[in-house]
Amino acid sequence: MNIILSTLRKKRRFRCAVVCKTWYILITGKPFKMKLPQPSDLVIQRYTRRTGPLYFPTIKYLTVSLGTKNPALPEISQPPLHFLEANDIHAHGIRISQSCNGLFLCPADITNNYLSPHAKNNAHVKHYVYNPTTNKTRLIPLPSLDYYKRHVTAMNLAFDPSNSPHYKIVSLSTINETFFSYTQVDIYSSETWSWKVSKAFPKNCSHVDFSRGVFLNGSIHWPSYTEDSSYYFHVENECFKLMPMPPVQDQRSRRSIRFFDESGGWLLLIDFHEPFPTKFDVFGMENDYSGWSVKYRVDFSLRTWFIEKFHVMSVICGGDDEDDSLLVIYVPGRDKAGKGLLTYNLSNTKLKKSDIKEELIFQV
């Protein structure tokens, strides 16, 4: 019932409080907030190369079960992803640039970098917000400004259904005037269906990778590859704050970030320089932003399957039950032990092979 009521606007929700005593207590009693469930499926974006005079890749999407479904909850069918599949007819197709608590931010890739997860300049690129559960989309209007002056650095989705049914999109752009340039932050709200210019702007941010934004606890976080600190942006308060970065591994001058995302209320980061190490750490940010700590240690050296090379796909934190925490990796190859999509239990170090048969090229 919480999930159903959370989709209503605040005014309409309070009207429902007069239906019966149970609804009144539910809506007006304690703070109306639902708990986000643990992810049970992983959506993988796969590219298939085409041959011929024109090189256009085909994008296909696979939904892979992680085996973490709660048996007490009703079974929910996998999202059809019809909108994404229907628009993959040429290089101008729709792709996923970010997922945020059940919503996808999807730009129409009209650049020549077909396999690049981020376009060089998104100022002229259409963006959609797609809900795979309802199979509904919303075309997001572009911020109003001369496209020749605006270079969009990043578009980030901010959505927390436990606080509000509305989402926001934070756009960071470099505005090039005749004799100078500056960074501008625009915020789009699904409640008003409009953009507004924020007064906040980051200082000395050339080292920050704004293309890898992660939304968590009301803020969007970005990593840095070289410096000891980076930035996060509080969406409601519209302010930038510094956050520390973990030490660079192996005494190098630059981080090689293999994973930067959130799970189970944790901001997570994986950084290693070796091409395919057998041991590495998963770092987690402290809630007060005081620093990073080693949340998980991964050791493939004791496994029966010899993992020669792999790609980190995702990290799933089990919340209260750490036994359900998983590392998802992809090992190139088909129908062989230790090949394909594997889940590594971060508690008991068990490896499990997924039943996925396709060979992957790229993942979101």
Side-chain angles (χ1 to χ4, degrees):
M1 182 58 67
N2 274 7
I3 297 176
I4 296 175
L5 293 175
S6 67
T7 60
L8 301 177
R9 297 197 176 192
K10 189 174 182 180
K11 186 175 181 180
R12 294 183 178 180
R13 190 162 63 239
F14 277 100
R15 288 178 181 175
C16 295
V18 302
V19 173
C20 64
K21 185 177 180 179
T22 303
W23 284 25
Y24 178 83
I25 296 175
L26 179 64
I27 295 173
T28 63
K30 58 184 180 180
F32 187 81
K33 186 173 183 178
M34 66 177 186
K35 185 178 180 180
L36 297 177
Q38 181 187 2
S40 59
D41 297 277
L42 180 67
V43 177
I44 299 175
Q45 182 170 271
R46 181 172 67 95
Y47 287 86
T48 301
R49 294 189 174 94
R50 294 182 183 178
T51 59
L54 296 177
Y55 173 71
F56 291 150
T58 301
I59 306 174
K60 297 299 180 183
Y61 295 89
L62 307 172
T63 306
V64 182
S65 175
L66 298 174
T68 58
K69 288 186 173 67
N70 187 344
L73 296 177
E75 185 70 20
I76 299 177
S77 59
Q78 294 179 346
L81 305 179
H82 292 326
F83 171 72
L84 300 175
E85 298 283 1
N87 282 277
D88 179 38
I89 57 176
H90 46 62
H92 295 197
I94 306 298
R95 57 181 175 81
I96 302 173
S97 65
Q98 182 191 355
S99 63
C100 185
N101 293 324
L103 296 183
F104 293 153
L105 181 62
C106 304
D109 193 356
I110 63 174
T111 70
N112 293 324
N113 298 329
Y114 303 124
L115 296 181
S116 174
H118 305 287
K120 289 183 178 180
N121 186 2
N122 285 323
H124 59 287
V125 176
K126 293 181 179 180
H127 281 74
Y128 300 85
V129 172
Y130 174 51
N131 187 332
T133 304
T134 61
N135 200 37
K136 292 183 178 180
T137 61
R138 179 89 183 183
L139 176 62
I140 306 301
L142 297 173
S144 59
L145 194 67
D146 190 345
Y147 296 157
Y148 295 100
K149 292 183 178 182
R150 177 187 292 268
H151 181 94
V152 178
T153 308
M155 297 277 281
N156 294 281
L157 180 62
F159 175 56
D160 186 356
S162 65
N163 290 326
S164 171
H166 303 289
Y167 59 84
K168 292 185 178 182
I169 297 176
V170 178
S171 170
L172 280 81
S173 305
T174 300
I175 310 300
N176 298 304
E177 298 292 352
T178 305
F179 298 106
F180 63 95
S181 63
Y182 60 94
T183 301
Q184 178 172 303
V185 178
D186 298 271
I187 301 176
Y188 176 86
S189 172
S190 66
E191 186 172 12
T192 60
W193 307 119
S194 61
W195 289 91
K196 74 171 183 178
V197 178
S198 174
K199 296 181 180 179
F201 62 92
K203 299 179 181 179
N204 302 323
C205 59
S206 59
H207 63 281
V208 180
D209 184 2
F210 287 110
S211 67
R212 301 187 69 167
V214 175
F215 179 74
L216 176 66
N217 296 331
S219 300
I220 300 174
H221 306 75
W222 298 281
S224 171
Y225 294 95
T226 57
E227 301 300 320
D228 295 332
S229 63
S230 188
Y231 280 106
Y232 68 97
F233 178 74
H234 195 280
V235 179
E236 289 298 326
N237 296 338
E238 298 184 22
C239 61
F240 284 90
K241 296 183 179 180
L242 288 174
M243 72 172 187
M245 292 295 296
V248 180
Q249 302 299 297
D250 304 326
Q251 297 181 344
R252 302 291 183 96
S253 60
R254 180 181 174 86
R255 297 179 184 88
S256 182
I257 298 177
R258 309 303 176 119
F259 180 81
F260 183 75
D261 211 333
E262 65 85 18
S263 181
W266 284 85
L267 184 64
L268 302 174
L269 183 146
I270 297 177
D271 170 28
F272 54 79
H273 286 274
E274 296 180 36
F276 307 104
T278 57
K279 298 180 181 180
F280 59 90
D281 296 327
V282 180
F283 294 93
M285 171 68 80
E286 300 294 340
N287 291 331
D288 58 357
Y289 292 95
S290 59
W292 297 77
S293 60
V294 176
K295 186 166 178 60
Y296 304 110
R297 296 189 183 275
V298 178
D299 187 358
F300 292 143
S301 61
L302 303 177
R303 307 315 310 156
T304 305
W305 293 339
F306 177 69
I307 300 177
E308 182 178 1
K309 59 181 181 178
F310 62 91
H311 304 281
V312 177
M313 309 285 278
S314 185
V315 178
I316 309 297
C317 291
D320 297 333
D321 188 1
E322 289 290 343
D323 292 338
D324 293 334
S325 298
L326 301 173
L327 170 71
V328 185
I329 62 174
Y330 173 68
V331 181
R334 296 189 183 186
D335 300 331
K336 294 181 180 179
K339 304 293 183 181
L341 195 68
L342 308 178
T343 56
Y344 175 87
N345 191 299
L346 292 164
S347 175
N348 56 31
T349 72
K350 290 183 179 180
L351 271 172
K352 182 179 179 182
K353 189 176 186 298
S354 172
D355 57 359
I356 182 174
K357 303 280 184 194
E358 294 84 349
E359 186 169 0
L360 307 180
I361 300 177
F362 186 76
Q363 167 268 334
V364 170

